[in-house]
Amino acid sequence: MSLIIFFLCNVAFGQLVIKSDNQYVKVAVLDSGINKELDFFQGVAFEEVNLIHPGEKIVDDFNHGTPVAGIIIGEGDAPIGRKLKIYDIKLLDENGNGSIEDLIEAINWCVDKKVDFMNISFGFQTPNAELESIIEKAIEQGITIVAAAGNTYGLATDYPAKLDGVLSIGSMNEKNKRSSFSAIGKIDYVFKGEDVQSINHHGQASVFTGTSFAAAYATHLFIQLKETYKEVETKDFNSFIQQYTVTKDFWNEAEYGKGTIFIQ
């Protein structure tokens, strides 16, 4: 069974920041890998596992994991990368394809590493009992799982975003309207997913479009909230973030979920 993702890209750049302390926040990026040699990632702690080519050094030959990680980390005077440890898991090949078996192995690895966050910026339409079981185990351990709802053009939300306890992220545009490509169904939050600023796998400033990048931005903001309010128990985090949710009268739950997150 294959997992397939796609996106569009152009040119631009941006800045994101976070409040943190001296402790690492452990964030797993399950994707096509991260080109960690880029100057952008200097000073960021990494640990990696290559499920596509076991034992080989990870290279992002799909230009997806690198911009996803760039959005999660951010840049500027106080980049959160200085306080993050990124667990770089390559399970998508140069065409954006991968197997559910590798996804299950990746999540098991994340559980063993006791990561705090897991970003899954891809999906598929077929349910899988073994995947659902390991997702439940990760959530019970207190891992916050953020997943792209999918670029299904108004059709159903992808797995694993569709599963209970996984934060399913849809995309909206600058006019606060659901992006035409964004899934409908089990949506928890929506974020801007069109022309999102990051860095490409060659180290160049770019913009990217797709629910993949809305999910990465959501992960960034959730880290920001969790680091600012450390007293909130992990098991209560999904409920806690709802107090930062804003919505609009014309937003329905199937398209926009609870709304979006606003942090001053």
Side-chain angles (χ1 to χ4, degrees), residues 27-245:
V27 184
V29 179
L30 289 65
D31 216 289
S32 61
I34 303 166
N35 282 359
K36 299 182 283 294
E37 302 296 324
L38 300 177
D39 289 344
F40 182 89
F41 296 114
Q42 285 190 358
V44 180
F46 283 102
E47 188 168 340
E48 71 171 48
V49 61
N50 190 339
L51 299 180
I52 297 294
H53 302 292
E56 294 185 13
K57 180 180 178 180
I58 286 179
V59 175
D60 180 11
D61 44 13
F62 185 51
N63 190 25
H64 194 269
T66 301
V68 163
I71 293 165
I72 293 171
I73 291 172
E75 56 128 13
D77 295 333
I80 63 174
R82 294 178 184 169
K83 300 302 179 185
L84 291 183
K85 182 172 185 180
I86 300 293
Y87 291 77
D88 178 15
I89 308 168
K90 182 177 176 66
L91 67 156
L92 301 178
D93 64 18
E94 68 275 9
N95 298 310
N97 297 325
S99 71
I100 290 181
E101 291 74 22
D102 280 349
L103 175 59
I104 291 167
E105 182 177 349
I107 295 171
N108 265 309
W109 192 74
C110 292
V111 169
D112 289 342
K113 294 295 181 179
K114 295 182 170 58
V115 303
D116 300 303
F117 289 87
M118 195 184 304
N119 188 96
I120 305 175
S121 283
F122 58 86
F124 47 92
Q125 284 289 308
T126 304
N128 180 282
E130 189 177 356
L131 174 65
E132 186 169 355
S133 178
I134 188 58
I135 288 280
E136 288 176 357
K137 181 179 178 180
I139 292 170
E140 287 173 0
Q141 183 172 291
I143 300 173
T144 299
I145 305 175
V146 182
N151 303 333
T152 66
Y153 284 87
L155 298 180
T157 301
D158 279 341
Y159 292 96
K162 196 171 186 175
L163 296 174
D164 290 342
V166 177
L167 292 172
S168 171
I169 309 301
S171 172
M172 63 179 177
N173 60 28
E174 289 184 346
K175 295 181 180 179
N176 297 319
K177 296 290 185 68
R178 180 183 65 85
S179 299
S180 61
F181 55 78
S182 191
I184 291 177
K186 192 266 188 178
I187 306 293
D188 289 296
Y189 296 97
V190 288
F191 291 90
K192 182 183 175 184
E194 300 184 33
D195 298 333
V196 182
Q197 300 168 338
S198 191
I199 188 169
N200 68 24
H201 63 332
H202 295 305
Q204 299 164 333
S206 299
V207 295
F208 299 84
T209 290
T211 57
S212 293
F213 307 102
Y217 185 66
T219 296
H220 178 93
L221 290 182
F222 295 152
I223 294 169
Q224 191 171 27
L225 279 173
K226 199 165 188 177
E227 282 302 280
T228 302
Y229 298 98
K230 296 180 184 298
E231 70 277 8
V232 177
E233 295 288 336
T234 299
K235 62 184 176 61
D236 299 324
F237 181 69
N238 289 4
S239 299
F240 169 77
I241 60 179
Q242 291 185 36
Q243 66 184 286
Y244 291 92
T245 302

